[in-house]
Amino acid sequence: MTGPRDGAVTAGRYTVISADCHAGADLLDYRPYLARAHHDAFDAWAATYVNPYEDLLADTADRNWNSDRRLAELEADGIVAEVVFPNTIPPFFPSASLLAPAPTREEFTLRWAGLRAHNRWLADFCALAPGRRAGVAQILLNDVDEAVREVRRAHAAGLTGGILLPGTPPGSSLPELHSTVYDPLWAVCAELGVPVNHHGGSASPPLGHEPAARAVFMVETTWFSHRALWHLCFGGAFQRHPGLRLVLTEQGAGWIPPVLATLDYYHARLTTSRAQLDSAEAKFGAGLGVRAPSAYWRENCFVGASFMRPHEAPLRHRIGIDKIMWGSDYPHDEGTYPHSREGLRAAYAGLPREEVAAMVGGNAAVVYGFDLRLLDRIAARVGPTATEIAEPLTEPPAGATSPVFATGAAGRAW
């Protein structure tokens, strides 16, 4: 893609696609999607499982699986389509799969069965709203051949959101993402045009349960998620697989220009040293390709800029107008629902319409294969108007919990 989508404001309304939403089945509803051989193990696991997440126990938990409620609430929020990441607990997992990337040998078979059950459920869930949901399939990295088979199966089942790439946090025992052991995975994703999504929070190591752990997690978690970018760049994944696409979701967007500058600096420094064989740094440049990381960003990478903050929008040209995909993070508390229109105003008021149109929907349509002819017709009925989004937000909506409305260093004084 070379630029933002042209003519993306239909009947004066934006076609808004959320590039970051979450869904999953209610716990017992996963059972029909498991092979019969796993039913007894599932019954035993489910009978003693205690869900650790308050939002999955609340009366609003059905937003994850109630298709009609979900469509109605998203439309009321001005959103016509969504990229669907996991949220509920898949079978045989102790917690959300984002936080459990590396099962033991004993757990491996059941964990794989649980993720496949989620993927099968998600394909059916997306089929309830044809053309409006791009489901993201889950995989494990312990067995790359199994991961490749699941990518092909999920793609054939109609999950157009690509795959959720697990993290490889310290202590996971998994090879790091720069390893060539993952080349078969990158190859099949490039072959099928399957986006590789790396979601924030999916690569952090355990930090314990002391009171400070949550604050430390907030400081470190996005950095651990960012690592996928330089691992794939320096590991040569994009060089060997030019069609590979990496999407970094719910990790913010303002970090991208300075990090690319840092990566380019090290790339130039180490490749120069490699050419000077008497340099003490020459050995550190071994294996690096000739292209700078910023070149791979321009050609292979995108950002799922969930609830994009006001201070990030001025960086849009440095990030790339055609790289940014806004997300509401529905149904999470930190998401913008039911104030997505105000969230869009906070980030994009006063910007050129064609740029806003690209960031709120046009780019996601290209990356995830949405049919804009279908979605434009829905947006003409429910989408936010261009005039509305152009109006600066002067104060946050009452009861809003999304960080996009926060004050402070990364927010604004309302």
Side-chain angles (χ1 to χ4, degrees):
M1 186 167 64
T2 58
R5 175 193 171 216
D6 295 326
V9 185
T10 303
R13 296 179 182 268
Y14 289 116
T15 299
V16 181
I17 300 170
S18 173
D20 181 26
C21 287
H22 297 263
D26 199 1
L27 190 69
L28 297 180
D29 289 342
Y30 278 124
R31 191 179 191 272
Y33 292 93
L34 286 163
R36 287 183 178 273
H38 298 305
H39 282 185
D40 288 345
F42 175 81
D43 292 342
W45 170 79
T48 59
Y49 184 76
V50 178
N51 197 314
Y53 300 109
E54 292 182 5
D55 65 317
L56 296 180
L57 298 172
D59 59 4
T60 55
D62 74 326
R63 286 173 172 156
N64 286 283
W65 57 80
N66 185 327
S67 181
D68 291 340
R69 176 177 186 170
R70 191 178 184 97
L71 283 173
E73 291 189 348
L74 288 174
E75 285 191 6
D77 216 23
I79 296 168
V80 298
E82 56 176 331
V83 179
V84 187
F85 287 88
N87 197 42
T88 61
I89 311 303
F92 310 117
F93 276 71
S95 61
S97 56
L98 280 174
L99 304 176
T104 65
R105 185 180 300 274
E106 293 74 23
E107 296 166 336
F108 180 73
T109 299
L110 289 179
R111 293 280 183 88
W112 251 122
L115 291 192
R116 288 195 179 99
H118 171 82
N119 293 344
R120 295 184 184 111
W121 174 88
L122 183 60
D124 283 351
F125 185 70
C126 290
L128 294 174
R132 301 183 67 177
R133 293 176 181 148
V136 179
Q138 298 190 74
I139 62 168
L140 291 171
L141 295 178
N142 303 61
D143 186 322
V144 175
D145 290 339
E146 282 291 329
V148 168
R149 283 191 282 272
E150 186 61 14
V151 170
R152 291 193 180 279
R153 195 208 64 78
H155 179 264
L159 292 180
T160 58
I163 63 166
L164 177 62
L165 180 66
T168 57
S172 70
S173 77
L174 291 169
E176 295 284 3
L177 291 177
H178 57 68
S179 173
T180 56
V181 73
Y182 299 120
D183 262 15
L185 179 60
W186 311 144
V188 72
C189 290
E191 172 198 339
L192 298 177
V194 169
V196 173
N197 305 277
H198 197 53
H199 195 281
S202 63
S204 298
L207 293 171
H209 302 287
E210 294 292 328
R214 290 190 176 187
V216 173
F217 174 83
M218 288 300 295
V219 172
E220 295 181 348
T221 186
T222 52
W223 183 86
F224 277 107
S225 299
H226 299 344
R227 293 173 76 222
L229 174 61
W230 51 86
H231 279 233
L232 269 64
C233 286
F234 286 167
F238 299 124
Q239 180 174 312
R240 295 189 297 275
H241 309 284
L244 182 65
R245 291 177 295 165
L246 174 68
V247 182
L248 300 169
T249 297
E250 202 176 335
Q251 305 175 30
W255 61 276
I256 293 168
V259 165
L260 287 177
T262 298
L263 297 180
D264 281 359
Y265 163 76
Y266 276 104
H267 182 272
R269 173 175 160 181
L270 296 178
T271 53
T272 299
S273 296
R274 186 179 61 194
Q276 299 169 349
L277 299 182
D278 57 343
S279 167
E281 290 187 341
K283 59 181 177 294
F284 291 100
L288 288 182
V290 297
R291 306 195 69 197
S294 59
Y296 292 127
W297 175 264
R298 289 192 296 271
E299 295 185 11
N300 300 88
C301 302
F302 302 85
V303 58
S306 308
F307 41 80
M308 197 170 184
R309 295 160 173 82
H311 75 282
E312 294 173 315
L315 300 171
R316 64 195 184 280
H317 292 290
R318 294 175 62 192
I319 297 168
I321 291 291
D322 59 338
K323 300 296 177 184
I324 297 169
M325 300 181 291
W326 178 87
S328 70
D329 199 27
Y330 176 94
H332 289 167
D333 288 344
E334 65 268 28
T336 52
Y337 175 82
H339 307 292
S340 290
R341 288 179 171 82
E342 292 89 343
L344 292 170
R345 288 171 59 194
Y348 299 134
L351 303 187
R353 288 188 178 188
E354 66 275 11
E355 294 184 4
V356 176
M359 292 186 285
V360 304
N363 296 334
V366 173
V367 173
Y368 294 106
F370 287 102
D371 182 353
L372 283 171
R373 291 173 298 179
L374 166 68
L375 299 183
D376 286 348
R377 291 194 293 271
I378 303 170
R381 173 173 53 88
V382 304
T385 67
T387 301
E388 176 186 7
I389 301 306
E391 181 68 23
L393 191 68
T394 57
E395 61 181 24
T401 55
S402 174
V404 75
F405 303 116
T407 58
R412 66 178 2 153
W414 294 100

